[in-house]
């Protein structure tokens, strides 16, 4: 499939450039008589969409027209909902993707020719016209327009010459100058030119579409329209003032932009936080099926066959529980003695917790001119906040991070946003990123390095055998791998600290620590309290057991002696020792067989060499007689080695049988 295209699109856009206007983000419903619509409410989504709800009046059966930007037609086509309490909604119609292009597709001339009288005249070949220029007037049917060079050598320009044929058949020409006037005498062609001029004058239709809604009813009533359009993502910016009482003042401000192209006048504004799936589809585009082009052939062929195939486990909450508070009327905060207290928000936003998102409906209507930015508080609350120093080994630093353990005890989730942290005595102390915080959950917000505290890390790996057993002739060995990590903490000199160590979790390992406080999907959180100038050690142990299975019949004597020294059961240890001695005897017997085999190989090589030498000398010579004696001796040696090998192999078999018999009784 492909989108519809036309080679004249660029030319049409160029010709219409002077008439192009910038469309608004929101659709504006208009009727034939007056614009009776008004935006009632807007919901801004963190997914980059705005849900618009507006009201329009309808009287009986009527057609409601919505003027919308071309770039947002797809979203409105997929999302528009019409609520008519006493009527019904019918079809929805609008102009095609490019009405200017569609208009010129039916005409014998192009937009470029519309802009040039000689070119337009040339396109009217066969059309009856009246033309005048330079005091001459011609009537007749257009034959064409040609170009010729001027006869004036001082004025080398190109002239356009119109050729017409009069009613009597006489052909005349007319030089077309700047004073040329042309009248089209064919009413049908004249109407087409007027249509083209009208469409060209409405060049803004290349950026704006009018959607017509058919509504049926019998009386006057109010119609509600709801639809989605793209909108800037709204942002959350938090202010947090911390004190010394395990509480903090949290104020959330929303930053929104009016990119609707239309002023907001006392609208109900709702902020939606979540992670919605937002999709777009080109519903207003035309798609054509591409057909295979086949060559033209003579003759015929048979018809083709018809195509008929068809998710945290928490060990303990780090933040203390605290009651839900009402909006603040007054908060004590000095900010180094001279900074004003954080002014309370006039009213809290109405929070609503859904299955996948949280919404905050602002309590007061919002006025905001098009193009302006607005920032206003939507949460003002007291939350549990515990100061902690968080040590993260993966940062490769020996200083922890100053952080706040915040608990959201409000009925709704807090959206992600940037957090500016103030201390009630020292003012600004840092910034933090606040991840989305669901109701009832806690998060740490880190805002500065705590360089008054130092943490040293020491890791000691260990490995040993924890259990050995023999089952059905197999040794089952359980090995225990252990990694002991010791964190040595040196506290600050001026104040106590609550230090939380985020020890990395190891998949498949068991973790133990007396300081374990809570667990996240990636870390074990260890907590300890450090007095001023104090020191502490936090020990974390990761253990993993691995089972290894070996066949006793294949075990070496060294392995058996090692197991005998590791097993706790003395009887089993003695059996391992006995089996190890038997295996050592088998190995010694096999070594003897191997030595005999090597001697036999050497004797066979010597015998072959003597035979070769004997064949090279006369048999009755002294040297020949000597080789015969040597050959007899080598034969006797080989015979003796053969007997010894048989005896040694028998010994090996006897010892192997003794090992097998012992294993059967193990």
């Amino acid at each position: 499939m492909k989108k519809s295209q036309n080679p004249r699109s660029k030319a049409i856009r160029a010709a219409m450039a002077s008439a192009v206007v910038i469309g608004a983000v929101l659709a504006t419903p208009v009727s034939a008589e007056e614009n009776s619509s008004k935006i009632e409410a807007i919901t801004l989504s963190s997914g980059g969409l705005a849900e618009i709800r507006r009201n329009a009046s309808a009287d009986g059966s009527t057609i409601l027209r919505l003027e919308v930007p071309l770039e947002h037609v797809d979203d409105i086509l997929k999302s528009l909902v019409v609520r008519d309490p006493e009527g019904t909604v019918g079809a929805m119609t609008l102009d095609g993707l490019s009405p200017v292009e569609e208009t010129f597709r039916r005409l014998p001339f192009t937009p470029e020719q519309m802009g040039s009288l000689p070119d337009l005249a040339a396109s009217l070949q066969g059309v009856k016209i009246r033309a005048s220029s330079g005091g001459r007037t011609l009537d007749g049917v257009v034959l064409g327009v040609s170009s010729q060079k001027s006869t004036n050598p001082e004025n080398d320009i190109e002239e356009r010459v119109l050729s017409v044929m009069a009613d009597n058949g006489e052909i005349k020409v007319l030089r077309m100058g700047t004073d040329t006037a042309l009248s089209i005498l064919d009413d049908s062609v004249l109407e087409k030119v007027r249509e083209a001029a009208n469409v060209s004058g409405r060049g803004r239709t290349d950026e704006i579409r009018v959607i017509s809604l058919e509504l049926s009813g019998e009386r006057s009533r109010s119609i509600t329209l709801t639809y989605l359009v793209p909108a800037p993502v709204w942002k959350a910016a938090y202010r947090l003032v911390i004190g010394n009482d395990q509480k903090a003042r949290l104020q959330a401000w929303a930053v929104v932009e009016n990119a609707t192209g239309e002023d907001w006048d006392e609208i109900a504004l709702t902020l939606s936080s979540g992670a919605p799936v937002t999709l777009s589809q080109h519903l207003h585009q035309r798609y054509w099926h591409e057909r295979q082009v086949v060559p033209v052939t003579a003759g015929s062929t048979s018809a083709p066959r018809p195509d008929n195939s068809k998710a945290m486990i928490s060990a303990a909450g780090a933040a203390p529980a605290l009651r839900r508070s009402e909006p603040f009327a007054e908060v004590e905060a000095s900010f180094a003695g001279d900074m004003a207290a954080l002014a309370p928000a006039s009213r809290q936003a109405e929070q609503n917790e859904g299955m996948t998102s949280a919404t905050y409906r602002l309590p007061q209507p919002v006025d905001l001119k098009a193009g302006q930015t607005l920032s206003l508080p939507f949460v003002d609350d007291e939350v549990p906040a515990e100061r902690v120093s968080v040590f993260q080994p993966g940062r490769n630093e020996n200083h922890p991070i100053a952080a706040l353990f915040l608990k959201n005890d409000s009925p709704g989730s807090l959206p992600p946003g940037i957090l500016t942290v103030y201390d009630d005595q020292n003012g600004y102390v840092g910034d933090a990123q606040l991840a989305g915080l669901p109701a009832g959950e806690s998060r740490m917000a880190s805002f500065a390095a705590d360089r008054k505290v130092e943490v040293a890390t020491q890791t000691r790996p260990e490995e040993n055998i924890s259990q050995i057993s023999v089952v059905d002739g197999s040794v089952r060995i359980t090995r225990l791998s252990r990694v002991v990590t010791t964190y040595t903490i040196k506290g600050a000199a001026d104040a106590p600290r609550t230090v939380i160590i985020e020890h990395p979790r190891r998949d498949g390992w068991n973790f133990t620590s007396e300081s374990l406080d809570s667990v996240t999907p990636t870390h074990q959180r260890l907590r300890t309290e450090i007095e001023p100038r104090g020191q502490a050690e936090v020990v974390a142990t990761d253990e993993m057991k691995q089972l290894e299975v070996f066949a006793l019949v294949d075990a070496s004597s060294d392995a058996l002696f090692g197991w005998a020294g590791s097993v706790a059961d003395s009887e089993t240890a003695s059996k391992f020792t006995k089996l190890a001695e038997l295996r050592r005897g088998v190995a010694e017997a096999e070594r003897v067989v191997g030595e005999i085999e090597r001697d036999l190989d050497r004797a066979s090589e010597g015998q072959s060499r003597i035979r070769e030498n004997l064949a090279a000398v006369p048999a009755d010579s002294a040297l020949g007689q000597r080789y015969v004696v040597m050959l007899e001796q080598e034969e006797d040696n080989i015979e003796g080695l053969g007997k010894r090998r048989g005896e040694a192999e028998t010994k090996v078999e006897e010892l192997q049988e003794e090992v097998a018999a012992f294993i059967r009784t193990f």
Side-chain angles (χ1 to χ4, degrees):
M1 303 290 284
K2 66 176 183 178
K3 296 179 181 179
S4 61
Q5 297 178 345
N6 190 291
R8 294 194 286 182
S9 296
K10 292 184 178 179
I12 292 174
R13 292 190 180 95
M16 299 299 105
S18 62
V20 172
V21 298
I22 304 301
V25 172
L26 300 186
T28 304
V30 295
S31 65
E33 297 80 13
E34 59 178 348
N35 182 354
S36 58
S37 72
K38 181 182 182 299
I39 299 178
E40 292 184 332
I42 297 177
T43 299
L44 295 178
S45 169
S46 56
L49 291 175
E51 179 183 337
I52 311 300
R53 188 176 80 244
R54 61 194 308 154
N55 182 272
S57 298
D59 188 3
S61 296
T62 185
I63 294 179
L64 188 66
R65 293 181 175 84
L66 292 83
E67 193 175 77
V68 302
L70 175 60
E71 60 183 351
H72 299 136
V73 167
D74 290 332
D75 283 311
I76 295 177
L77 285 176
K78 85 176 180 68
S79 65
L80 178 63
V81 175
V82 181
R83 294 178 176 87
D84 189 343
E86 299 181 9
T88 59
V89 62
M92 179 169 59
T93 59
L94 71 160
D95 288 337
L97 184 63
S98 180
V100 177
E101 181 178 332
E102 292 297 323
T103 298
F104 278 97
R105 192 193 302 272
R106 305 190 304 269
L107 299 177
F109 44 82
T110 65
E112 296 90 339
Q113 292 171 329
M114 280 274 299
S116 169
L117 182 57
D119 291 341
L120 179 60
S123 69
L124 299 176
Q125 193 173 36
V127 177
K128 191 171 184 179
I129 66 165
R130 177 179 295 115
S132 62
S133 179
R136 294 183 62 219
T137 300
L138 298 179
D139 286 6
V141 176
V142 176
L143 297 179
V145 177
S146 62
S147 300
Q148 66 181 30
K149 292 295 183 68
S150 172
T151 57
N152 185 355
E154 297 179 358
N155 190 16
D156 187 14
I157 61 174
E158 186 179 62
E159 295 182 335
R160 306 296 295 275
V161 178
L162 172 66
S163 299
V164 300
M165 184 174 66
D167 292 341
N168 59 5
E170 183 179 4
I171 297 176
K172 300 179 181 181
V173 295
L174 178 70
R175 285 187 174 86
M176 306 181 71
T178 57
D179 62 341
T180 301
L182 186 144
S183 299
I184 300 175
L185 304 180
D186 188 319
D187 292 341
S188 62
V189 176
L190 179 61
E191 184 60 31
K192 291 180 180 179
V193 175
R194 286 175 175 167
E195 179 186 1
N198 183 47
V199 172
S200 299
R202 292 187 293 110
R204 72 189 293 268
T205 55
D206 272 349
E207 298 295 332
I208 299 295
R209 291 293 179 273
V210 176
I211 297 178
S212 298
L213 288 171
E214 297 180 3
L215 301 175
S216 299
E218 296 182 354
R219 57 174 62 90
S220 297
R221 60 201 184 278
S222 178
I223 306 298
T224 301
L225 306 175
T226 304
Y227 49 88
L228 297 174
V229 293
V233 175
W234 72 276
K235 284 83 67 178
Y238 295 90
R239 285 78 159 155
L240 186 75
V241 180
I242 55 178
N244 295 318
D245 56 355
Q246 301 291 304
K247 300 177 184 178
R249 171 75 174 280
L250 179 66
Q251 198 172 79
W253 288 63
V255 180
V256 300
E257 291 90 11
N258 180 0
T260 65
E262 183 178 348
D263 293 345
W264 294 353
D265 183 14
E266 293 190 345
I267 67 165
L269 182 60
T270 301
L271 309 174
S272 175
S273 175
V277 176
T278 58
L279 303 176
S280 177
Q281 192 173 67
H282 297 303
L283 299 175
H284 196 229
Q285 295 281 3
R286 291 180 180 175
Y287 294 86
W288 304 91
H289 180 72
E290 291 186 342
R291 295 176 293 170
Q292 181 182 2
V293 178
V294 296
V296 177
T297 57
S300 62
T301 185
S302 58
R305 176 182 57 84
D307 183 9
N308 55 6
S309 41
K310 15 176 171 183
M312 284 291 100
I313 303 173
S314 179
L322 193 68
R323 61 178 176 80
R324 166 75 175 165
S325 64
E326 297 300 324
F328 286 80
E330 182 179 358
V331 173
E332 297 291 338
S334 64
F335 286 76
D338 60 356
M339 298 187 68
L342 184 63
S346 58
R347 289 173 60 191
Q348 287 268 38
E350 179 184 339
Q351 298 184 10
N352 182 30
E353 188 74 13
M355 293 183 62
T356 60
S357 64
T359 59
Y360 308 86
R361 182 170 181 175
L362 301 183
Q364 297 173 337
V366 173
D367 294 334
L368 186 64
K369 291 186 177 299
Q372 289 188 342
T373 298
L374 176 69
S375 182
L376 71 170
F378 65 97
V379 171
D380 193 344
D381 216 342
E382 186 180 56
V383 297
E386 180 189 16
R387 294 195 192 204
V388 294
S389 294
V390 182
F391 180 70
Q392 299 171 332
R395 297 180 67 243
N396 296 321
E397 292 188 8
N398 61 347
H399 297 291
I401 304 170
L404 287 169
F405 233 126
L406 301 176
K407 182 176 182 180
N408 180 14
D409 60 352
S410 68
S413 299
L414 295 177
I418 189 169
L419 179 69
T420 303
V421 183
Y422 296 95
D423 184 272
D424 62 356
Q425 298 297 322
N426 302 306
Y428 171 75
V429 292
D431 292 330
Q433 286 183 302
L434 183 65
L437 183 52
E441 294 189 11
S442 300
R443 295 288 188 276
M444 282 194 299
S446 304
F447 58 87
D450 189 354
R451 300 194 180 278
K452 297 182 180 181
V453 178
E454 294 184 3
V455 182
T457 305
Q458 182 180 15
T459 301
R460 185 179 74 254
E462 301 174 356
E463 185 169 325
N464 53 59
I465 297 175
S466 63
Q467 183 179 3
I468 298 178
S469 61
V470 179
V471 179
D472 296 332
S474 296
V475 181
R476 301 171 67 87
I477 300 175
T478 302
R479 294 186 181 274
L480 178 63
S481 298
R482 179 185 291 114
V483 178
V484 180
T485 305
T486 303
Y487 298 98
T488 303
I489 307 168
K490 182 180 179 181
D494 57 349
R497 290 288 194 275
T498 297
V499 178
I500 291 181
I501 299 172
E502 290 193 328
H503 182 78
R505 293 185 64 176
R506 295 170 177 256
D507 291 338
W509 293 64
N510 294 322
F511 178 81
T512 57
S513 175
E514 294 181 356
S515 303
L516 180 62
D517 180 72
S518 60
V519 179
T520 73
T522 56
H523 291 86
Q524 315 277 0
R525 285 180 174 166
L526 315 178
R527 175 186 289 257
T528 186
E529 306 293 335
I530 308 293
E531 295 298 325
R533 300 184 182 275
Q535 289 191 4
E537 282 191 355
V538 175
V539 179
T541 304
D542 293 282
E543 294 181 337
M544 181 175 64
K545 292 183 178 181
Q546 293 178 307
L547 178 64
E548 298 176 343
V549 180
F550 301 92
L552 276 175
V553 69
D554 297 329
S556 66
S557 59
D558 291 340
L560 291 166
F561 278 123
W563 297 339
S566 301
V567 68
D569 181 10
S570 59
E571 182 180 354
T572 304
S574 63
K575 289 183 177 180
F576 276 131
T577 302
K578 175 63 176 178
L579 183 59
E581 293 172 350
L582 292 175
R583 286 292 300 164
R584 181 174 290 179
V586 172
E588 177 62 23
E590 290 175 341
R591 185 189 63 79
V592 172
V593 171
E595 289 181 353
I596 296 174
E597 290 285 354
R598 289 190 291 275
D599 291 342
L600 275 172
D601 291 339
R602 286 193 293 269
S604 297
E605 292 175 358
Q607 186 185 56
S608 298
R609 188 168 52 253
I610 293 172
R611 290 182 186 279
E612 292 175 357
N613 293 337
L614 181 60
V617 299
D620 55 353
S621 64
L623 185 57
Q625 292 299 318
R626 181 181 175 184
Y627 283 149
V628 169
V629 174
M630 293 174 61
L631 184 61
E632 290 177 353
Q633 293 175 348
E634 200 64 53
E635 288 286 351
D636 293 340
N637 184 33
I638 291 174
E639 183 179 359
L641 289 171
K643 291 180 180 180
R644 288 179 55 199
R645 181 180 63 182
E647 294 172 355
E649 289 176 343
T650 301
K651 180 64 174 178
V652 169
E653 291 175 356
E654 291 175 352
L655 291 174
Q656 288 178 339
E657 178 58 32
E658 187 176 354
V659 168
F662 185 81
I663 290 175
R664 286 192 293 270
T665 62
F666 204 100

